[in-house]
Amino acid sequence: MDYIIDFKEIVEQAPAEEPARQYYFMDRVRELVEMKKQEGYAAHCMVEVMGCQMSAKDGEKLLGILERCGYTVTEDDRDADVVLFTTCTVRENANMKLYGRVGRLKHQYERRDGMIIGITGCMMQEKDEVEGIRKRYPYVRLVFGTHNVYKLAELLYQTLVTGKRTFEVLEDTKLIVEELPSDRRYRFKGAVNISYGCNNFCTYCIVPYVRGREKSRNATAILRECEQLIADGCLEITLLGQNVNSYGNDIPGSTSFPELLAAVAELPGLRRVRYMTSNPKDLSDELIEVMKTHPNIERHIHLPLQSGSSAILKRMNRHYTKESYLALVEKIRRELPEVALTTDIIVGFPGETEADFQDTVEVVQQAQFDAAYTFIYSKRTGTPAASYEQVPEEDVKDRFDRLLKIVQESSAANETRDLGKTMEVLVEDENKNQEGYLTGRLSNSVLVHFPGPKELIGTMQMVKLTESKGFYYFGELVGRQSEAQYCETGSI
Ligand code: 5AD
Ligand code: SF4
């Protein structure tokens, strides 16, 4: 398939400013795709998300752009003409997972004429990984980083027209491109970026290197996006940032995070708002106050501990101590007793002794987290901790196994906290393991499974929690709430 396209001329005619430039390239790709369709090109695409909610949000943006370019989404990579991966690199095993997936696509690439396999995300901000892909995976034809996700249409156009591999990774950027298309996975819930990047430089963490310095979005743009989501049927919005509590610190005179959260919570029609992630070092009293006065802010705080040892925390550059963390937990429990607290813990940070580990155990036992995500320390090239003396692998493994048990025991106390209560649930999906059952979430993020028809997906329902299963409940629908029924009866 050869089309006579003067690539240079098309590029010269493109508007310089964003997002107009990207809309211009979306139109150019669409024209090309329409021509190719005449010759049997299916124009199917898929985006595979690896990693955190930031990565998932990038995935929605990529899908939105691809659809605007004339592609239709498929769930089956055997049927896809464009497959994009948004990658994660926070721990080594995330990288291994990507190479496994890309390796398995080689056969598919050889069979499908003109297929484009592309990779973006955090892992592509690492030079060695990009070089490895350049050499070892010649069938990966499109590589871009976290700072130019917005540029997909332009880069895809270049790949399609020139037939050459396109690699473009930027070190950092100050640019935030607003108003691009996005295809949300769920109609009834959505995520909104409030800031990008991180300035904290915890010594184990690669995020500041791959996502760049912290850049806050303008509060008006955030509120506008939230309003659009609500108008589009969203009942729940998640505000996303590596450290939401430092939102606005990079913009003189900016709205603070508690102010922003309050403004979002007060938007008419929004049933729930949540946020991720909150660094304990700067969780303020104002934030707690805003949560107290706005019941539609979810009763859940994810407060990564990382380690319970003050000495290790210092070497991690976390800016809090065992004592100040526990004091914060106590304050949250006192002021917001219904809040579910969850955490992240790293085991085996360089130099961690058995005594340090015991400090972590103590914090876990005292804080009684509702859930704790435990990770084995993973050495990330380029971070300060990579050059510290590492803990022997068998010690780490042993501590990790012990911690897992302690975490499970210590959270048991919370498991029956709400048993017997009737609570509001946002119904999210069918239960894949149990025919006729639905799955939803309480305001504190805990899962509830209950029998019900799938028409209820995407609505809020009152559910009686009848059985506790540890990290989740079984329940029964109490009445059924369509908005109309709710108003008529005035009760549930
Ligand atoms: N090794 C292990 N876990 C890590 N995390 C971040 N970097 C590393 C690393 N190098 C964990 C932290 C963070 C979560 C998202 O991932 O606990 O909170
Ligand atoms: Fe990484 Fe620390 Fe930033 Fe979280 S706050 S992304 S752990 S550097």
Side-chain angles (χ1 to χ4, degrees):
M1 283 183 278
D2 280 328
Y3 310 105
I4 303 158
I5 291 173
D6 187 339
F7 178 63
K8 225 173 129 226
E9 192 185 15
I10 298 268
V11 172
E12 272 164 16
Q13 282 170 6
E17 68 285 1
E18 299 291 5
R21 185 177 176 88
Q22 295 316 309
Y23 279 98
Y24 168 87
F25 278 107
M26 285 178 236
D27 289 344
R28 299 293 80 74
V29 177
R30 184 181 262 280
E31 284 163 8
L32 196 57
V33 164
E34 289 306 324
M35 281 195 281
K36 283 160 75 73
K37 276 183 179 169
Q38 310 286 321
E39 294 166 33
Y41 186 66
H44 290 160
C45 69
M46 71 179 278
V47 173
E48 194 165 319
V49 172
M50 298 174 150
C52 66
Q53 296 198 42
M54 288 278 176
S55 195
K57 177 73 189 174
D58 283 347
E60 292 185 351
K61 292 178 188 169
L62 295 172
L63 262 193
I65 295 172
L66 284 170
E67 284 174 288
R68 176 94 190 205
C69 287
Y71 287 87
T72 18
V73 182
T74 172
E75 298 291 320
D76 184 352
D77 61 30
R78 284 168 306 183
D79 191 29
D81 298 290
V82 175
V83 179
L84 298 181
F85 293 93
T86 68
T87 57
C88 170
T89 186
V90 81
R91 287 172 291 276
E92 179 67 24
N93 50 7
N95 298 38
M96 302 324 291
K97 198 172 147 202
L98 174 83
Y99 289 126
R101 278 292 291 125
V102 173
R104 266 176 271 135
L105 276 182
K106 182 170 185 226
H107 179 60
Q108 165 73 5
Y109 173 78
E110 284 162 354
R111 277 190 10 223
R112 205 168 175 97
D113 192 25
M115 183 178 181
I116 293 182
I117 299 172
I119 312 179
T120 178
C122 290
M123 206 176 137
M124 294 304 97
Q125 292 297 137
E126 292 182 275
K127 282 198 179 73
D128 290 352
E129 303 295 345
V130 172
E131 280 321 300
I133 285 172
R134 211 190 278 278
K135 288 199 193 94
R136 290 196 303 276
Y137 298 88
Y139 55 95
V140 172
R141 293 173 59 202
L142 178 57
V143 167
F144 52 108
T146 55
H147 304 299
N148 50 358
V149 164
Y150 73 90
K151 228 177 143 179
L152 168 64
E154 182 168 350
L155 300 173
L156 180 62
Y157 186 72
Q158 185 177 329
T159 318
L160 284 166
V161 172
T162 64
K164 293 188 186 139
R165 301 173 85 191
T166 305
F167 281 62
E168 187 181 287
V169 179
L170 312 175
E171 293 249 323
D172 203 350
T173 179
K174 288 195 167 25
L175 187 68
I176 297 179
V177 180
E178 299 286 355
E179 305 289 338
L180 281 170
S182 171
D183 176 4
R184 286 186 294 113
R185 181 141 181 249
Y186 297 98
R187 185 183 48 80
F188 54 86
K189 62 174 186 176
V192 173
N193 296 109
I194 65 165
S195 59
Y196 302 93
C198 182
N199 287 351
N200 287 325
F201 290 96
C202 301
T203 54
Y204 51 82
C205 185
I206 201 158
V207 168
Y209 306 90
V210 296
R211 289 259 166 197
R213 294 302 78 71
E214 186 171 75
K215 294 181 289 291
S216 301
R217 268 180 85 190
N218 174 294
T220 316
I222 296 170
L223 287 166
R224 198 180 321 126
E225 187 178 340
C226 291
E227 281 168 343
Q228 280 163 0
L229 288 177
I230 298 165
D232 203 29
C234 259
L235 300 177
E236 178 187 282
I237 290 178
T238 304
L239 303 178
L240 290 180
Q242 297 300 342
N243 177 15
V244 291
N245 294 326
S246 54
Y247 169 79
N249 288 356
D250 54 319
I251 309 176
S254 164
T255 312
S256 68
F257 178 62
E259 287 164 350
L260 177 73
L261 182 62
V264 173
E266 285 161 23
L267 289 174
L270 186 59
R271 300 291 288 269
R272 279 185 183 173
V273 51
R274 43 202 303 248
Y275 57 88
M276 289 282 265
T277 286
S278 201
N279 191 316
K281 82 177 164 64
D282 38 23
L283 191 151
S284 63
D285 290 349
E286 289 76 44
L287 179 63
I288 294 178
E289 201 48 40
V290 165
M291 288 186 73
K292 270 170 106 171
T293 50
H294 294 77
N296 63 340
I297 301 175
E298 291 208 340
R299 307 286 101 174
H300 173 207
I301 301 179
H302 185 64
L303 199 63
L305 167 68
Q306 313 301 6
S307 168
S309 150
S310 296
I312 294 287
L313 287 168
K314 194 162 191 326
R315 301 220 290 80
M316 285 178 162
N317 195 30
R318 291 290 289 176
H319 298 283
Y320 55 87
T321 60
K322 176 185 183 186
E323 291 70 28
S324 68
Y325 185 92
L326 281 170
L328 179 60
V329 168
E330 203 191 308
K331 192 195 290 175
I332 295 171
R333 296 266 189 236
R334 190 175 60 237
E335 301 291 326
L336 297 161
E338 70 285 21
V339 152
L341 264 184
T342 58
T343 200
D344 293 338
I345 300 169
I346 297 176
V347 179
F349 179 81
E352 183 189 74
T353 62
E354 180 59 27
D356 291 320
F357 174 70
Q358 284 309 324
D359 278 331
T360 301
V361 169
E362 252 179 66
V363 176
V364 168
Q365 283 165 337
Q366 286 188 36
Q368 303 228 317
F369 298 109
D370 292 73
Y373 305 95
T374 48
F375 306 106
I376 285 182
Y377 168 74
S378 174
K379 188 170 160 178
R380 308 314 288 133
T381 311
T383 60
S387 60
Y388 302 170
E389 196 175 329
Q390 309 292 308
V391 180
E393 213 176 301
E394 58 278 12
D395 290 352
V396 180
K397 185 79 184 61
D398 173 56
R399 285 176 203 162
F400 183 80
D401 292 344
R402 282 188 280 153
L403 185 65
L404 213 57
K405 272 213 191 92
I406 294 161
V407 160
Q408 279 158 4
E409 285 160 14
S410 74
S411 60
N414 292 322
E415 287 167 7
T416 51
R417 187 172 51 188
D418 294 320
L419 190 65
K421 290 186 190 162
T422 297
M423 297 177 88
E424 199 171 38
V425 168
L426 173 58
V427 189
E428 299 197 338
D429 221 331
E430 286 178 275
N431 186 322
K432 304 280 181 286
N433 302 318
Q434 211 156 350
E435 178 93 30
Y437 273 67
L438 301 171
T439 293
R441 271 180 204 278
L442 298 173
S443 166
N444 61 12
S445 252
V446 172
L447 283 175
V448 184
H449 307 295
F450 58 97
K454 59 175 190 288
E455 295 74 63
L456 295 189
I457 293 171
T459 66
M460 307 288 283
Q461 298 295 329
M462 296 306 288
V463 175
K464 182 166 185 194
L465 310 179
T466 51
E467 194 183 341
S468 165
K469 285 281 186 186
F471 295 113
Y472 59 92
Y473 288 101
F474 276 110
E476 287 163 7
L477 268 173
V478 177
R480 161 114 67 99
Q481 287 186 69
S482 64
E483 296 298 6
Q485 209 179 358
Y486 182 76
C487 297
E488 268 162 35
T489 60
S491 65
I492 23 93

